[in-house]
Amino acid sequence: MALGAHGPRRKSYAPAFTILLLFLAIASTASAASAVLGIDIGTEYIKAALVKPGVPLDIVLTKDSKRKEISAVAFKPLRNGNADDFPERLYGSDAAVLGARFPGDMYPNLKPLLGQLLETSDIAKEYQARQPALKLNADKTRGTISFKSDVFGDGAEPYMVEELLAMELQNVRSNAETMAGKGSRIRDAVITIPAFYTAEERRAIQLAADLAGIRLLGLVTDGLAVGINYATSRIFPSVSEGGKPEHHLVFDMGAGSTKVTVLRFQGRTVKDVGRLNKTIQEVNVLGVGWDRTLGGDALNKIILYDIVEAFAKSPKVVKAGLGDSAAESVRSNGRTAAKLWKESERVRQVLSANSETAAGFESLFEEIDFRYKISRTSFEKLAAPFAERVAAPVRQALKAAKLELVDIESVILHGGAARTPFVQKELGKLVGSASKVRTNVNADEAAVFGVAFRGAGLSPSFRVKEIHANDIASYAAGIKWTFGGKDRQQKLFQPTSFIGADKSVPFKTLDDFTFTLHQQLPMGGEMIDVTTSTVQTNNLTSSVSKLVDTFGCTRETIVTKFSIRLSGLTGLPEVAGGTVSCEIEASPEKKGGVVEDVKGFFGFGGKKSDQEPLKASDESSTTSISKSETSTSSSTSAGSTSTADAKKDKKLKKRLETIQIDITTTAEGLPPLPEDELTRIKDRLAAFDASDASRRKREEILNTLEGLTYKYRDLTSEESFTEYSTEGELKELDSQLSVLSDWLYGEGAEASKETLKERLKAFRAIIEPIETRRTEASSRPKHMKAMEEGFGKAKQLIQLVQSGAEKAAEAASLASESAASSSSSASSSSSSASSASASSSTTATDDLEDLDDASSTSTTTSTSTTSIPKPPSMPEFTFDDVKQMTSKLEAIQEWFTENSDAQAVLKASDNPVLRTSDLEAKLRELNSIGLDVVMRKNKPKPGKPKKPKTKKVKVKTSSTSTPADAESTASAGEKPAVKVDSEGMLTEEEIADAINRATGGKGKSHDEL
């Protein structure tokens, strides 16, 4: 580090240090803000993966350290029965456990219900049959599904499906923030959806994310997410180099549905920065197929119905006379149905690895026990009608992709139900070879890893492997409008059109009008146009009038165009923009621009071509104009004008005058939530969050109180604790422990947070004096030892300052003597120079030689004068500083001795006199002795100019040297006994050494300061 005349230039590093702190703060904030969450919402499970700077792409663990969470939320009934309070929310496995006891307050498998109308949806009816204990209601605003809970009062509003799903998303985000580290805040997410989701279902996902406080970066279909994950670890043939693309089929069977996606994988060489090329990987969806209700639950239902039928025919049921209604009664009973669904899933999973299994039920119904057995062969016979349903989505996807089975290189299995041997066997039959059916991706986590990777690619904060992934619309889309009294429509996109595709649609209408965008959805065996949005133009009529009146356009030449695209976020058709335009004649183009015009205005000319030098003939013609030219100018004016007009017409060009069309877009279908309703739901979610936070705090206090009672119950019998407490304190503590233990296991279990805080505060008031003595006794010796070491270091520092003061005084004395001697020598040199000059002027014969001598003499005299040292300023270290430092040290030593002696005579149960906090304060004071004196060296002196740098000039006229000259010409290798600077200060090395020795640091060089 560079050193100035007054020590290190510390101020010059302050801006850099400030910038570093600012950078670290911004980096920390950016790190938190740039985290992205990939969420795979399944019917039965929900999974998430986190991408964050410094944290590798990994699965977000649940609170139970599991890699996936059961997709369920439950409300735990309140014990006090106060309907105004918010119940505790449970998620995942905790919710499932509670559902066995309270099936009417656990809401599982919500995904299929998104965007469904209660009155017309078959999915809603199937869900109600599976969850008979739940109370499904129609939302008052939109008619979609909501749930009424008995936990709340009769006047409480039902909970929409989107609101319950938002709670699950909040729980996932909370787990991710815990994984990301303290203080992390995650907002951005990308979510998987099935390819068959319509506009209503996609908007429902958006609404749930918005309610959860999540900013949705995109929606990715399940099959594409698996394909992205498949491509992250593979390199495919480059089509730019003649390679052949690979075609794979993703068969994804989850709990609620089956989705099939045909994917094309290939490499491609594209331009990189500069002249370089790079190869990227591409994953394109070519076709999709699905079965909305074929999944693990459908297979579980086969087993459940077989269990119920076998139970109804069992001898005990027949003997009890329950009759034919037994099966229906069992399926409609909430607790029994929940138990049967859980056991049916377990049986199916066991059969995937075993040839047979059994299930036992205690008091299944009407206190009747039942035992059930089934083999894999029996199960596959029961599932035989589903074989065609397994094959149908595969054929649908291949047809959409315009491929045959022989074109498919492999079938990639994904989803828990795809592990079922029956499903894999049917796929093997379909593709002609079981070897094509592969389990080369993680069937549970491939989609969530893929969607998280996509999220990292969408965020500017990450640099990942370049994989260009293209999804498709899944449904055809078109536009409808009315013109000339007739309804018109146009198909814009096919089901296989890529998301993000854009089309320009021209219209003949020149007045404000309305048009609609729609999707073609399969309903009842035919394709139905379902409107997704309505678009109204606002300024088309006025814009056309402006083109006609201002720019001279004719109505016949005016063109109206709209750009329609498939939204990159939702995949739905949307208007990217609209214009109305016409061609008009443009003015001749000027060469140059505004800069050239300004140059011309001020007379500087334009480009070089406009600034050619004038020729002699030109100059004469401009200075004198002949009379003949003047007389003929009028006669030639007409011809000149006609020629100029012809040139002007020749230079005129056409240009397009365009006006942007302002539009208003209204989403069609289910009406959006009113603003006040949206606010009410968000407020209720926020109140739930606050209630959960308060409950967690209460549980922490309760656990702390219980832990303290156990801890001090044991400590009261240990001497290491009792020796620091008085007899009265021990009696009070024993009494309080007895009372507190009985209270905690009685009414304390239901006590409020405030009551628990008061109890904890009262208990701590008893134990804190005892704990303080214990802590002080254990830590005091270490602090006292540090004080003793500090005394030694302070004495060393004082000795250094004493030595520095002596050296500074000696140096000042030497400098003063040197200044006096130099002044005398300078006077003698001046007299000699004057005599020599006079002699030269009378005897010299060469004027040039006289000039040289005079110049030489003048230079020598000047240099001699500037080399005289100035009297030193007041030295930094003085004997007064030594006295001040010694006084402070003696005061601290006196305090330490007095309090140490007082502490030594106290008993262990007495309150300490010499406290560690006081020792720490005195130690800081001790370490700061002389620090202000030492640091004064580093403080720049205001108003002092810098020394000018002068060249050393050899003095030829004097053969003698002063003591100062001798000191200045000392050899470089000779080290003086006392090293001082030009002002008699201590050197930087001595200051650094003093600081390091005083603070116990290791000696550092100047570059390390």
Side-chain angles (χ1 to χ4, degrees):
M1 185 174 78
L3 298 176
H6 306 284
R9 299 177 190 165
R10 299 183 186 276
K11 284 192 173 182
S12 63
Y13 285 83
F17 183 68
T18 305
I19 292 172
L20 176 62
L21 291 178
L22 181 61
F23 171 77
L24 292 175
I26 293 174
S28 176
T29 305
S31 175
S34 61
V36 179
L37 200 58
I39 304 177
D40 179 23
I41 302 177
T43 301
E44 187 174 9
Y45 292 98
I46 184 169
K47 298 173 280 288
L50 177 66
V51 187
K52 179 181 180 290
V55 177
L57 175 62
D58 202 0
I59 289 291
V60 175
L61 301 180
T62 69
K63 290 180 173 63
D64 301 329
S65 298
K66 296 179 180 178
R67 297 179 69 86
K68 60 182 179 180
E69 187 93 272
I70 295 176
S71 184
V73 57
F75 298 143
K76 187 176 181 179
L78 297 169
R79 295 183 181 180
N80 56 16
N82 188 357
D84 294 332
D85 294 338
F86 285 94
E88 181 180 1
R89 292 179 295 183
L90 301 178
Y91 301 95
S93 56
D94 292 339
V97 170
L98 186 70
R101 296 171 52 202
F102 305 101
D105 295 305
M106 193 268 285
Y107 307 95
N109 305 355
L110 298 174
K111 180 181 177 180
L113 301 180
L114 292 170
Q116 300 293 320
L117 296 174
L118 178 64
E119 299 299 329
T120 59
S121 174
D122 293 334
I123 295 176
K125 295 175 183 177
E126 178 68 22
Y127 187 90
Q128 182 67 85
R130 178 177 174 177
Q131 308 290 341
L134 294 179
K135 297 179 180 178
L136 274 66
N137 285 33
D139 181 72
K140 61 183 180 181
T141 303
R142 306 188 302 164
T144 52
I145 299 169
S146 61
F147 294 91
K148 186 74 174 176
S149 174
D150 293 334
V151 175
F152 303 92
D154 295 335
E157 293 287 342
Y159 285 81
M160 296 167 39
V161 175
E162 294 86 348
E163 187 175 359
L164 296 174
L165 183 59
M167 295 181 185
E168 294 186 39
L169 293 176
Q170 285 179 327
N171 178 60
V172 169
R173 188 180 67 178
S174 175
N175 294 339
E177 290 173 346
T178 301
M179 175 181 171
K182 187 176 181 180
S184 297
R185 177 72 175 169
I186 299 174
R187 286 195 59 202
D188 296 340
V190 182
I191 299 177
T192 61
I193 58 170
F196 56 73
Y197 261 16
T198 63
E200 303 300 349
E201 292 161 314
R202 294 172 188 247
R203 288 169 182 164
I205 287 285
Q206 286 182 284
L207 176 59
D210 178 56
L211 293 175
I214 291 175
R215 181 170 58 190
L216 195 60
L217 297 183
L219 300 173
V220 180
T221 58
D222 300 309
L224 180 59
V226 174
I228 293 173
N229 177 250
Y230 185 80
T232 54
S233 58
R234 292 169 173 82
I235 301 296
F236 302 101
S238 175
V239 293
S240 302
E241 299 172 1
K244 183 180 179 182
E246 295 182 13
H247 294 94
H248 298 266
L249 185 145
V250 176
F251 185 89
D252 182 10
M253 178 180 281
S257 61
T258 298
K259 292 87 62 180
V260 177
T261 307
V262 177
L263 299 171
R264 181 177 65 209
F265 299 89
Q266 63 189 25
R268 184 183 298 278
T269 302
V270 297
K271 289 286 291 182
D272 200 359
V273 179
R275 298 182 179 180
L276 301 177
N277 293 331
K278 61 181 178 180
T279 300
I280 62 170
Q281 306 301 306
E282 292 183 346
V283 183
N284 297 324
V285 178
L286 301 184
V288 292
W290 59 79
D291 188 323
R292 278 180 171 264
T293 58
L294 176 63
D297 287 344
L299 300 177
N300 296 340
K301 186 177 179 180
I302 296 174
I303 298 174
L304 184 145
Y305 272 65
D306 191 56
I307 292 174
V308 172
E309 186 177 348
F311 174 75
K313 294 180 180 178
S314 64
K316 291 183 180 181
V317 174
V318 173
K319 186 177 180 180
L322 296 177
D324 298 335
S325 61
E328 183 61 31
S329 299
V330 169
R331 287 194 292 266
S332 60
N333 184 278
R335 292 188 179 182
T336 304
K339 188 186 300 183
L340 287 172
W341 277 107
K342 184 177 180 180
E343 194 64 18
S344 297
E345 182 179 11
R346 187 195 68 81
V347 167
R348 178 179 61 81
Q349 292 174 348
V350 171
L351 289 178
S352 297
N354 299 274
S355 58
E356 62 179 22
T357 187
F361 303 90
E362 293 184 6
S363 301
L364 178 62
F365 187 72
E366 297 293 339
E367 303 298 325
I368 299 175
D369 299 338
F370 179 66
R371 185 168 179 80
Y372 173 76
K373 289 184 178 181
I374 187 172
S375 65
R376 184 189 293 178
T377 304
S378 300
F379 169 69
E380 290 180 353
K381 288 181 179 178
L382 293 172
F386 288 82
E388 178 56 32
R389 293 184 65 182
V390 171
V394 176
R395 297 193 182 99
Q396 180 186 358
L398 289 171
K399 182 179 179 181
K402 299 180 181 179
L403 295 175
E404 301 293 336
L405 280 169
V406 294
D407 301 320
I408 302 299
E409 297 194 24
S410 72
V411 176
I412 303 172
L413 296 180
H414 187 263
R419 299 190 186 99
T420 307
F422 164 74
V423 175
Q424 296 185 11
K425 189 182 297 183
E426 293 301 322
L427 286 174
K429 292 178 183 177
L430 181 64
V431 300
S433 173
S435 62
K436 273 192 172 185
V437 182
R438 299 174 186 172
T439 56
N440 48 4
V441 300
N442 188 320
D444 279 331
E445 299 176 354
V448 70
F449 276 126
V451 74
F453 188 91
R454 180 62 176 268
L458 292 174
S459 171
S461 304
F462 303 95
R463 186 175 182 179
V464 297
K465 177 181 178 181
E466 286 201 58
I467 299 177
H468 291 192
N470 295 307
D471 217 333
I472 62 174
S474 300
Y475 299 108
I479 184 173
K480 293 182 179 180
W481 75 101
T482 301
F483 178 72
K486 295 182 179 180
D487 294 334
R488 303 173 186 271
Q489 66 175 357
Q490 181 179 342
K491 193 171 187 179
L492 300 177
F493 303 104
Q494 301 292 335
T496 54
S497 296
F498 287 137
I499 299 296
D502 187 291
K503 286 197 175 181
S504 180
V505 183
F507 291 88
K508 293 183 179 180
T509 181
L510 301 180
D511 297 316
D512 285 313
F513 73 112
T514 301
F515 62 89
T516 61
L517 301 174
H518 64 267
Q519 284 183 321
Q520 290 185 345
L521 305 181
M523 292 182 181
E526 59 181 347
M527 303 302 293
I528 304 297
D529 294 341
V530 177
T531 302
T532 59
S533 61
T534 299
V535 181
Q536 171 67 50
T537 65
N538 301 321
N539 65 334
L540 180 58
T541 303
S542 59
S543 298
V544 170
S545 298
K546 183 176 181 180
L547 289 176
V548 173
D549 299 338
T550 305
F551 299 100
C553 299
T554 61
R555 296 181 66 88
E556 291 75 15
T557 60
I558 296 177
V559 177
T560 304
K561 284 185 180 180
F562 283 92
S563 176
I564 315 294
R565 69 185 175 195
L566 293 173
S567 170
L569 176 63
T570 63
L572 301 176
E574 65 178 9
V575 178
T579 62
V580 57
S581 60
C582 72
E583 281 191 345
I584 63 173
E585 292 182 348
S587 300
E589 295 183 358
K590 285 186 177 181
K591 293 184 179 181
V594 177
V595 175
E596 300 299 331
D597 293 340
V598 173
K599 284 183 177 181
F601 178 79
F602 286 105
F604 296 112
K607 297 182 180 179
K608 291 183 179 181
S609 59
D610 300 329
Q611 302 181 23
E612 295 179 356
L614 294 173
K615 298 178 183 180
S617 59
D618 295 332
E619 292 177 0
S620 61
S621 64
T622 56
T623 55
S624 61
I625 303 175
S626 64
K627 293 182 179 180
S628 60
E629 290 175 340
T630 305
S631 61
T632 57
S633 60
S634 58
S635 61
T636 58
S637 61
S640 299
T641 303
S642 61
T643 305
D645 291 342
K647 290 181 178 180
K648 184 178 179 181
D649 293 338
K650 188 176 182 180
K651 290 183 179 180
L652 286 178
K653 294 182 179 180
K654 297 287 187 179
R655 70 175 177 85
L656 194 66
E657 184 64 33
T658 303
I659 299 177
Q660 298 293 327
I661 299 177
D662 179 51
I663 60 172
T664 300
T665 302
T666 305
E668 296 295 339
L670 296 176
L673 283 177
E675 199 63 34
D676 58 342
E677 181 70 5
L678 191 62
T679 301
R680 181 191 66 79
I681 294 174
K682 288 185 176 181
D683 289 344
R684 181 160 67 174
L685 288 172
F688 250 121
D689 293 339
S691 176
D692 288 345
S694 177
R695 185 177 292 105
R696 286 192 296 269
K697 186 64 178 177
R698 177 194 174 278
E699 291 174 353
E700 289 176 6
I701 298 172
L702 179 61
N703 293 336
T704 301
L705 196 55
E706 288 179 342
L708 289 175
T709 57
Y710 288 124
K711 175 182 177 181
Y712 286 98
R713 188 180 295 159
D714 296 336
L715 286 176
T716 51
S717 60
E718 295 183 8
E719 186 179 355
S720 61
F721 177 79
T722 57
E723 66 174 324
Y724 296 102
S725 57
T726 64
E727 184 177 350
E729 288 173 336
L730 282 177
K731 286 182 179 179
E732 184 181 4
L733 180 58
D734 286 336
S735 174
Q736 185 66 22
L737 284 172
S738 177
V739 172
L740 193 58
S741 297
D742 294 339
W743 181 80
L744 284 174
Y745 292 104
E747 60 183 275
E750 299 299 326
S752 66
K753 181 179 70 173
E754 288 71 22
T755 303
L756 290 171
K757 287 176 68 176
E758 292 175 0
R759 289 274 185 170
L760 180 60
K761 182 179 179 180
F763 186 72
R764 279 179 170 165
I766 299 173
I767 61 175
E768 278 179 357
I770 306 173
E771 285 296 341
T772 298
R773 298 178 200 127
R774 289 181 70 198
T775 305
E776 290 285 336
S778 63
S779 60
R780 189 181 299 113
K782 179 180 67 174
H783 285 75
M784 293 180 71
K785 182 180 179 181
M787 286 291 293
E788 296 289 353
E789 294 174 352
F791 289 142
K793 292 174 182 177
K795 290 177 182 178
Q796 292 177 7
L797 180 58
I798 292 174
Q799 291 174 0
L800 284 171
V801 174
Q802 173 78 23
S803 176
E806 293 172 355
K807 293 175 183 179
E810 181 181 356
S813 177
L814 289 174
S816 178
E817 293 176 2
S818 175
S821 176
S822 299
S823 176
S824 175
S825 175
S827 299
S828 300
S829 299
S830 177
S831 299
S832 300
S834 299
S835 300
S837 177
S839 176
S840 298
S841 63
T842 57
T843 59
T845 57
D846 190 347
D847 292 337
L848 292 176
E849 185 179 354
D850 292 342
L851 288 173
D852 289 340
D853 292 339
S855 176
S856 176
T857 304
S858 175
T859 304
T860 304
T861 303
S862 175
T863 306
S864 174
T865 301
T866 57
S867 65
I868 297 174
K870 295 180 181 179
S873 61
M874 185 64 65
E876 291 278 345
F877 299 120
T878 66
F879 294 109
D880 288 340
D881 295 330
V882 176
K883 184 178 179 181
Q884 180 184 356
M885 294 168 65
T886 304
S887 175
K888 288 182 179 179
L889 175 60
E890 290 174 350
I892 296 173
Q893 284 180 319
E894 182 180 353
W895 174 89
F896 180 72
T897 302
E898 180 183 344
N899 284 276
S900 297
D901 294 342
Q903 181 64 45
V905 299
L906 295 178
K907 295 186 295 184
S909 59
D910 292 334
N911 290 327
V913 174
L914 189 62
R915 303 176 69 91
T916 56
S917 59
D918 296 334
L919 286 169
E920 289 173 352
K922 288 296 181 181
L923 185 59
R924 287 192 296 269
E925 186 179 346
L926 182 62
N927 288 334
S928 67
I929 286 180
L931 187 60
D932 55 341
V933 177
V934 176
M935 293 304 294
R936 198 181 305 156
K937 173 71 175 177
N938 299 330
K939 185 177 180 182
K941 295 182 180 179
K944 184 167 182 179
K946 295 183 178 179
K947 274 191 174 183
K949 294 182 180 180
T950 60
K951 293 184 178 180
K952 291 183 179 179
V953 181
K954 211 168 185 182
V955 180
K956 298 180 180 180
T957 59
S958 176
S959 60
T960 61
S961 62
T962 64
D965 296 331
E967 184 179 350
S968 64
T969 57
S971 62
E974 184 179 352
K975 191 171 184 178
V978 180
K979 191 175 181 182
V980 294
D981 62 13
S982 61
E983 295 180 359
M985 307 296 183
L986 284 177
T987 63
E988 201 66 25
E989 289 84 354
E990 288 186 345
I991 291 177
D993 182 66
I995 294 173
N996 288 324
R997 294 175 64 182
T999 58
K1002 299 178 181 179
K1004 295 182 180 181
S1005 66
H1006 293 313
D1007 292 338
E1008 296 173 321
L1009 289 177

